[in-house]
């Protein structure tokens, strides 16, 4: 399966600031996804990021708050903008491995705390 | 919207015990996956199982797509099995987007 890394692994940020999370894959993939997991909760899809097109956001998530870049087939970034304590979550990227019947694999996550 | 529900929400087992976790989904699925989230937050792939039965060591899973449920069996549980177990599904027309269940938090004690 693909090997996925994320940076940073964790961070503590002040409210009103922004943080950019990087997701790197060791092979080319068409579809990458960003998820949020709030404390004690399940995972919720933020957006789908395809190379060469604008990200597709799920209901309740907007580009101004969570801008996403996908410059190539192995890399994506998610920015959490103008943060508030409610943004404290684990943010995970995943990839869809079509050669493995669309099974999804996840990066290790970025644990964000906003003070 | 599409619903994925898991039961039980919490489970405490003594080491060596067996358990069954259930996942119910509200519509026909293209993909059904089981994950284990360890205490550090890492999601570990357990099974890709849109239908049928699979086994991997002490773990096995069965999905009955026509009845819209999946079961994860853990035998001879160990403390390292502790964590949260999620099932997640993709549905026709949702382009590989996973909808996660509510999770089962498992604690295995000595």
């Amino acid at each position: 399966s693909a090997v996925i890394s994320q940076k940073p692994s964790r961070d503590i940020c002040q409210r009103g600031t922004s943080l950019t999370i990087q997701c790197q894959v060791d092979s080319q993939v068409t579809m990458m996804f960003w998820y949020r997991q709030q404390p004690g909760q399940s995972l919720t899809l933020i957006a789908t990021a395809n190379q060469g097109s604008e990200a597709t956001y799920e209901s309740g998530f907007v580009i101004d708050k969570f801008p996403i870049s996908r410059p190539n087939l192995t890399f994506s970034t998610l920015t959490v903008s103008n943060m508030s304590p409610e943004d404290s979550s684990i943010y995970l990227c995943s990839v869809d491995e079509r050669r493995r019947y669309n099974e999804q694999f996840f990066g290790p996550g970025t644990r964000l705390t906003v003070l | 919207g599409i619903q994925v529900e898991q039961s039980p929400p919490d489970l405490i087992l003594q080491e060596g015990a067996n358990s069954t976790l259930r996942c119910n989904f509200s519509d026909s699925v293209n993909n059904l996956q089981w994950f284990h989230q360890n205490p550090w937050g890492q999601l570990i792939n357990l099974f890709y199982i849109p239908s049928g039965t699979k086994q991997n060591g002490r773990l096995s899973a069965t999905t009955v797509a026509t009845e819209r449920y999946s079961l994860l069996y853990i035998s001879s549980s160990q403390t390292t099995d502790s964590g949260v177990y999620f099932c997640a599904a993709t549905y026709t027309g949702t382009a590989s987007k996973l909808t996660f269940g509510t999770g089962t938090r498992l604690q295995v004690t000595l």
Side-chain angles (χ1 to χ4, degrees):
Chain A
S1 63
V3 176
I4 307 166
S5 60
Q6 286 187 234
K7 290 181 181 179
S9 58
R10 59 177 58 233
D11 208 341
I12 301 173
C13 300
Q14 297 296 321
R15 69 172 67 209
T17 63
S18 298
L19 176 72
T20 295
I21 302 167
Q22 299 178 7
C23 179
Q24 179 77 52
V25 189
D26 69 343
S27 59
Q28 294 185 341
V29 294
T30 302
M31 301 182 78
M32 296 180 75
F33 305 87
W34 287 98
Y35 290 80
R36 180 178 73 180
Q37 185 178 25
Q38 295 178 300
Q41 303 296 312
S42 184
L43 282 78
T44 301
L45 181 65
I46 298 172
T48 303
N50 290 330
Q51 193 267 339
S53 63
E54 293 289 326
T56 302
Y57 289 83
E58 296 301 302
S59 175
F61 298 96
V62 295
I63 188 171
D64 289 347
K65 176 67 176 177
F66 297 102
I68 288 171
S69 76
R70 181 79 199 274
N72 56 53
L73 292 175
T74 63
F75 187 78
S76 179
T77 67
L78 168 75
T79 299
V80 186
S81 302
N82 189 24
M83 289 184 285
S84 67
E86 292 70 35
D87 294 319
S88 297
S89 298
I90 300 174
Y91 293 86
L92 301 101
C93 67
S94 73
V95 303
D96 180 318
E97 287 213 36
R98 296 201 168 185
R99 61 190 172 91
R100 291 185 59 143
Y101 309 100
N102 295 102
E103 185 174 359
Q104 281 195 31
F105 293 85
F106 283 77
T110 295
R111 190 179 295 268
L112 171 62
T113 302
V114 184
L115 302 177
Chain B
I2 297 165
Q3 304 289 329
V4 181
E5 296 182 351
Q6 293 183 240
S7 61
D10 296 281
L11 187 59
I12 300 175
L13 297 175
Q14 203 158 22
E15 196 173 44
N18 304 327
S19 63
T20 301
L21 282 58
R22 187 178 179 101
C23 172
N24 292 330
F25 38 92
S26 63
D27 207 340
S28 299
V29 299
N30 294 330
N31 171 11
L32 192 290
Q33 293 185 237
W34 282 96
F35 298 92
H36 174 215
Q37 188 170 41
N38 64 24
W40 296 271
Q42 173 82 54
L43 273 177
I44 310 296
N45 286 48
L46 297 178
F47 294 102
Y48 169 88
I49 187 165
S51 63
T53 298
K54 290 185 178 179
Q55 180 157 7
N56 184 4
R58 296 182 296 104
L59 303 181
S60 64
T62 295
T63 297
V64 183
T66 54
E67 297 186 21
R68 300 182 182 173
Y69 72 89
S70 183
L71 302 174
L72 177 69
Y73 306 95
I74 304 174
S75 64
S76 304
S77 58
Q78 301 175 358
T79 56
T80 52
D81 295 330
S82 297
V84 183
Y85 290 80
F86 289 104
C87 66
T90 63
Y91 297 86
T92 302
T94 62
S96 299
K97 295 187 293 187
L98 279 174
T99 298
F100 275 78
T102 47
T104 292
R105 183 174 301 274
L106 173 65
Q107 182 179 355
V108 181
T109 63
L110 292 172

